[in-house]
DNA sequence: GGACCTT
């Protein structure tokens, strides 16, 4: 039998196979004393849902069948009609009570979704497909599997397919089209794409599917220690919550358990959740480090590691914690796990750091759609520090008038936590219902603020950068950069809170002498995005030409693969810690091995 | 300066 990816993973996970990366340590599963000298019994079957659907073929995944898996569906569009209604097979919603055997009740994560607002199916899927038609995508690395056009041509399994329909996803987004096949063959990935582009699903589907198909996982029985199979890290608590909620939907009735841990919330409750079982752990770094130190969590069985907003996770403040989690715990090394990094921007210094965590990875960049391209109108106004408040009030008054009764949602970014509080106070005092989110507020306050903003109760949210990344808040029509950030990448992330998933948005920035270092990168970015650049900004940009970081070489993209730029001066192979193109990890080897890629020829 | 454990 051919060595498949699933075998490689299972082998690595159970310790029966070396990791394949030069000299990587072999880590046998921990067996607690009271269980030694016994015949090991599987902790549980990995895929209880197969009880309903019949056994899933363990290794019959995309590409291994040797036939064109796309041929099951006639063409790229044929899935529209079939998935538009739920009348297909199974009936989905109706039959859940009966088929559960002894499992405890799993809350329906789709529950109150439809009650919130009445929107068209297309809209509720969060994706404007027309806006995605001609998004440029670039990949690099060896043996990149081709993208898929429909979910149907990927064999993710019945339960997951049902959840995809429940989410009303009819067609994969560009990042999903490319990421899912890459991920299903077990390759490491560094991907540039926005959160609103369907990133979470892109890495969750293969993780869930992989866990379900994994052979009965034999996990150690630690004393109150849990052994998740997948770890998803993100830089803020709210983003971790969001990823958790989304992942719960994808994992509904698959038997795959998802738990989130983050700071600011009582730890005991999170510990109880963990003890009830966890396959996929979503976490912020601080709380996870805490749990690791208390030995409540072991990363020994991790097969999948995903870092969301990876550029933030690897910058100065976070990097030590991430290294601690990834490199100084019992987590399998690169090659012994599958690692996926996602971010809207990937500066090359960060790519260099990130390559420590990866093995023979594929670099993927999806055009910046819905962000700094045509869907967001970007304006820059010269506003002195002392005039900012009255100027903001003018903007708010103006949009109050043209609205139809309901105030459109406006997200105002400021530099400091104190600044956020005082602006909120001032806005409220002037008749504008505002709230604020920042790191000095308690977690319940932060969550309340976000809910109140989303619901339109307080249609103005004053925020620090805690809200700059990844948060998916539908219907934000205006982002105001009351204080501009120092880094152009932060600007890109901030304005990305509007114009999400194909909808249009407006971004206004207040610029003054304090922002000179941003003049050039901002002018360049706006020009790239076909925005009107005011003359005064062009002038400032030419003055301080060599001031800012000038590393936006990706054109329409967030970044480009730094390995391409380095190809001449990198060290001879074998010496460094980085696997560039050829370096063999277990997966790279298996994948590139005899005959394996033939399905894609 | 902002984000990221606990008390």
């Amino acid at each position: 039998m051919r060595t498949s990816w699933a075998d490689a993973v299972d082998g690595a996970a159970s310790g029966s196979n070396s990791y394949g990366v030069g000299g990587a340590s072999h880590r046998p599963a921990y067996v607690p004393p009271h269980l030694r000298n016994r015949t090991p019994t599987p902790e549980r079957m990995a895929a209880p849902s197969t009880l309903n659907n019949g056994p899933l073929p363990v290794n019959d995944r995309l590409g291994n069948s040797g036939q064109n898996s796309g041929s099951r569906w006639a063409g790229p569009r044929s899935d529209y009609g079939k998935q538009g209604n739920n009348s297909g097979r199974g009936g989905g919603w109706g039959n859940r009570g009966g088929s559960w055997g002894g499992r405890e009740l799993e809350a329906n994560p789709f529950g109150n979704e439809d009650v919130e607002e009445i929107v068209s199916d297309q809209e509720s899927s969060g994706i404007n497909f027309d806006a995605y038609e001609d998004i440029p995508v670039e990949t690099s690395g060896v043996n990149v599997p081709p993208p898929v056009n429909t979910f149907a041509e990927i064999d993710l399994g019945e339960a997951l397919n049902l959840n995809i329909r429940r989410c009303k996803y009819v067609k994969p987004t560009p990042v999903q089209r490319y990421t899912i096949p890459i991920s299903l063959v077990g390759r490491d990935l560094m991907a540039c794409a926005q959160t609103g582009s369907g990133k979470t699903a892109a890495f969750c589907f293969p993780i869930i599917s992989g866990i379900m198909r994994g052979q009965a996982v034999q996990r150690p029985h630690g004393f109150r220690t849990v052994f998740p199979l997948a770890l998803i890290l993100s830089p803020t608590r709210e983003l971790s919550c969001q990823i958790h909620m989304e992942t719960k939907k994808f994992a509904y009735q698959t038997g795959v358990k998802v738990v989130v841990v983050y700071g600011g919330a009582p730890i005991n409750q999170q510990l109880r959740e963990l003890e009830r079982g966890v396959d996929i752990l979503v976490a912020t770094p601080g709380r996870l480090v805490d749990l690791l130190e208390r030995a409540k969590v072991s990363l020994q069985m991790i097969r999948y590691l995903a870092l969301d907003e990876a550029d933030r996770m690897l910058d100065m403040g976070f990097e030590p914690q991430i290294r601690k989690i990834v490199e100084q715990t019992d987590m399998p090394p690169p090659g012994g796990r599958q690692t996926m990094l996602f971010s809207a921007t990937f500066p090359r210094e960060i790519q260099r750091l990130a390559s420590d965590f990866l093995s023979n990875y594929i670099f993927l960049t999806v055009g910046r759609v819905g962000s700094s391209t045509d869907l967001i109108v970007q304006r820059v106004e010269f506003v002195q520090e002392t005039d900012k408040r009255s100027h903001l009030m003018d903007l708010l008054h103006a949009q109050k008038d043209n609205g139809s009764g309901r105030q459109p949602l406006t997200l105002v970014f400021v530099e400091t936590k104190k600044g956020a509080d005082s602006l909120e106070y001032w806005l409220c005092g002037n008749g504008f219902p505002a709230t604020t989110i920042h790191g000095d507020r308690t977690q319940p306050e932060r969550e309340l603020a976000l809910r109140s903003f989303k619901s339109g109760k307080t249609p103005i949210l004053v925020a620090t950068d805690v809200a700059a990344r990844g948060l998916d808040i539908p219907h934000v029509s205006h982002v105001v950069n009351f204080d501009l950030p120092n880094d152009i990448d932060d600007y890109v992330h901030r304005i990305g809170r509007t114009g999400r998933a194909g909808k249009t948005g407006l971004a206004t920035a207040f610029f003054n002498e304090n922002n000179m270092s941003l003049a050039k990168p901002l002018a360049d970015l706006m020009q790239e995005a076909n925005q009107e650049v005011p003359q005064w900004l062009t002038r400032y940009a030419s003055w301080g030409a060599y001031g800012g970081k000038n590393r936006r070489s990706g054109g329409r993209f967030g970044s480009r693969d730094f390995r391409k730029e380095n190809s001449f001066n990198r060290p001879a192979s074998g010496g460094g810690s980085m696997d560039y193109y050829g370096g063999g990890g277990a997966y790279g080897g298996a994948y590139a091995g005899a005959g394996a890629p033939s399905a894609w020829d």
Side-chain angles (χ1 to χ4, degrees):
Chain A
M1 194 182 93
R2 191 160 63 208
T3 305
S4 76
W5 166 82
D7 293 330
V9 171
D10 290 327
S14 64
S16 66
N17 194 357
S18 80
Y19 292 121
V21 181
S25 60
H26 172 89
R27 294 161 202 270
Y30 172 74
V31 181
H34 68 285
L35 292 172
R36 287 172 198 161
N37 305 321
R38 272 200 212 179
T39 313
T41 45
E43 187 174 78
R44 63 174 178 81
M45 290 302 290
S49 61
T50 56
L51 294 174
N52 311 340
N53 303 318
L56 288 165
V58 173
N59 286 328
D60 185 17
R61 57 181 57 255
L62 175 71
N64 282 348
S65 61
Q67 46 181 278
N68 180 1
S69 47
S71 62
R72 271 189 3 209
W73 303 83
R77 294 293 176 81
S78 66
D79 53 342
Y80 269 113
K82 295 188 189 213
Q83 301 189 351
N85 56 38
N86 261 343
S87 64
R89 39 196 173 170
W93 300 109
N95 67 355
R96 59 184 197 278
S99 57
W100 277 20
R103 272 196 295 143
E104 57 188 299
L105 196 75
E106 181 180 8
N108 178 355
F110 300 90
N112 23 26
E113 190 93 326
D114 298 328
V115 189
E116 266 183 32
E117 214 172 333
I118 297 155
V119 285
S120 73
D121 275 5
Q122 180 88 331
E123 209 181 329
S124 64
S125 74
I127 308 293
N128 173 354
F129 290 94
D130 294 337
Y132 280 105
E133 276 309 310
D134 43 26
I135 293 177
V137 175
E138 253 180 36
T139 55
S140 52
V142 289
N143 289 332
V144 181
V148 292
N149 287 309
T150 63
F151 287 119
E153 67 192 88
I154 328 162
D155 195 8
L156 289 167
E158 184 72 14
L160 201 42
N161 281 338
L162 192 54
N163 290 333
I164 289 172
R165 288 201 292 279
R166 285 167 177 160
C167 289
K168 300 183 178 125
Y169 291 175
V170 285
K171 195 182 168 189
T173 65
V175 68
Q176 291 163 359
R177 291 181 54 225
Y178 284 80
T179 298
I180 293 173
I182 290 170
S183 179
L184 282 175
V185 298
R187 292 291 296 279
D188 281 3
L189 176 70
M190 185 186 290
C192 290
Q194 269 193 259
T195 300
S197 63
K199 251 185 335 181
T200 311
F203 61 78
C204 273
F205 291 170
I207 290 176
I208 294 167
S209 158
I211 290 174
M212 289 174 72
R213 283 154 195 255
Q215 273 132 20
V217 188
Q218 192 190 328
R219 276 184 266 190
H221 298 253
F223 178 69
R224 296 203 153 187
T225 302
V226 295
F227 297 83
L229 304 174
L231 176 62
I232 301 171
L233 293 172
S234 94
T236 67
R237 298 163 182 174
E238 286 76 15
L239 188 51
S240 280
C241 281
Q242 182 181 300
I243 294 168
H244 173 242
M245 288 189 296
E246 220 172 326
T247 308
K248 288 274 275 197
K249 290 183 188 172
F250 304 146
Y252 183 53
Q253 293 188 346
T254 61
V256 175
K257 290 186 175 174
V258 191
V259 176
V260 65
V261 297
Y262 54 85
I267 200 165
N268 285 330
Q269 202 177 326
Q270 294 176 1
L271 284 171
R272 273 198 300 277
E273 285 294 320
L274 287 172
E275 283 173 11
R276 291 170 61 190
V278 53
D279 298 302
I280 301 177
L281 180 60
V282 184
T284 50
R287 178 59 63 98
L288 179 60
V289 167
D290 189 18
L291 291 167
L292 289 167
E293 283 170 353
R294 300 186 193 200
K296 297 295 184 190
V297 172
S298 161
L299 302 179
Q300 184 187 326
M301 302 302 284
I302 291 292
R303 289 196 229 156
Y304 305 91
L305 169 66
L307 299 194
D308 205 2
E309 307 300 333
D311 64 337
R312 172 61 90 221
M313 304 293 278
L314 292 170
D315 83 0
M316 286 191 327
F318 273 120
E319 198 216 350
Q321 287 176 79
I322 302 303
R323 283 201 186 275
K324 188 168 189 176
I325 293 166
V326 178
E327 294 179 330
Q328 291 157 34
T329 64
D330 50 0
M331 190 190 299
R337 58 166 197 259
Q338 191 179 341
T339 309
M340 295 176 274
L341 310 183
F342 289 85
S343 183
T345 56
F346 254 117
R348 27 172 317 168
E349 313 86 79
I350 299 293
Q351 289 189 43
R352 199 177 301 115
L353 287 174
S355 61
D356 289 354
F357 300 156
L358 297 163
S359 165
N360 185 28
Y361 64 95
I362 290 169
F363 183 90
L364 168 69
T365 180
V366 179
R368 284 192 250 130
V369 159
S371 150
S372 33
T373 47
D374 14 306
L375 291 166
I376 300 177
V377 175
Q378 297 175 57
R379 287 194 196 137
V380 191
E381 292 166 3
F382 197 95
V383 185
Q384 292 294 357
E385 220 53 51
T386 48
D387 300 333
K388 280 182 173 177
R389 286 184 174 182
S390 62
H391 202 85
L392 177 62
M393 207 198 280
D394 291 345
L395 292 178
L396 294 173
H397 272 303
Q399 67 190 28
K400 203 173 195 174
D401 294 340
N402 69 23
S404 52
R406 205 173 135 173
Q407 177 90 330
L409 301 189
T410 302
L411 183 52
V412 183
F413 281 104
V414 296
E415 187 65 30
T416 66
K417 296 178 271 197
K418 282 186 174 172
D421 279 337
S422 86
L423 184 58
E424 179 218 15
Y425 184 80
W426 183 84
L427 283 168
C428 290
N430 283 275
F432 288 98
T435 183
T436 182
I437 184 167
H438 59 71
D440 276 352
R441 302 202 80 192
T442 66
Q443 193 55 24
E445 285 171 336
R446 285 164 58 157
E447 284 167 21
L448 180 65
L450 205 52
R451 275 201 306 276
S452 171
F453 179 59
K454 280 182 175 177
S455 73
K457 194 173 156 204
T458 50
I460 301 164
L461 179 64
V462 184
T464 60
D465 267 330
V466 69
R469 285 164 182 267
L471 286 191
D472 197 19
I473 309 169
H475 315 299
V476 173
S477 55
H478 195 178
V479 168
V480 179
N481 273 290
F482 189 89
D483 300 319
L484 272 163
N486 298 316
D487 189 324
I488 189 67
D489 286 341
D490 289 330
Y491 173 85
V492 172
H493 284 281
R494 285 180 178 186
I495 68 171
R497 294 318 97 211
T498 186
R500 311 238 347 128
K503 298 194 187 84
T504 55
L506 174 64
T508 306
F510 295 173
F511 187 101
N512 62 38
E513 290 89 345
N514 298 328
N515 311 115
M516 284 308 177
S517 67
L518 206 65
K520 176 147 177 60
L522 182 58
D524 290 350
L525 184 89
M526 289 178 69
Q527 194 150 31
E528 253 175 46
N530 296 318
Q531 301 291 315
E532 204 175 310
V533 185
Q535 275 190 356
W536 57 262
L537 184 62
T538 312
R539 214 160 46 236
Y540 285 137
S542 64
W543 287 352
Y546 52 91
K549 312 186 207 177
N550 208 0
R551 48 178 164 65
R552 294 209 144 267
S553 51
R556 303 167 294 175
F557 299 109
S559 309
R560 58 182 304 229
D561 191 345
F562 89 118
R563 293 175 298 185
K564 286 182 172 174
E565 296 156 27
N566 275 12
S567 56
F568 283 104
N569 53 10
R570 68 184 154 105
S573 62
S577 60
M578 307 185 208
D579 286 324
Y580 286 96
Y581 290 96
Y587 307 137
Y591 172 61
S598 65
W600 293 305
D601 285 348

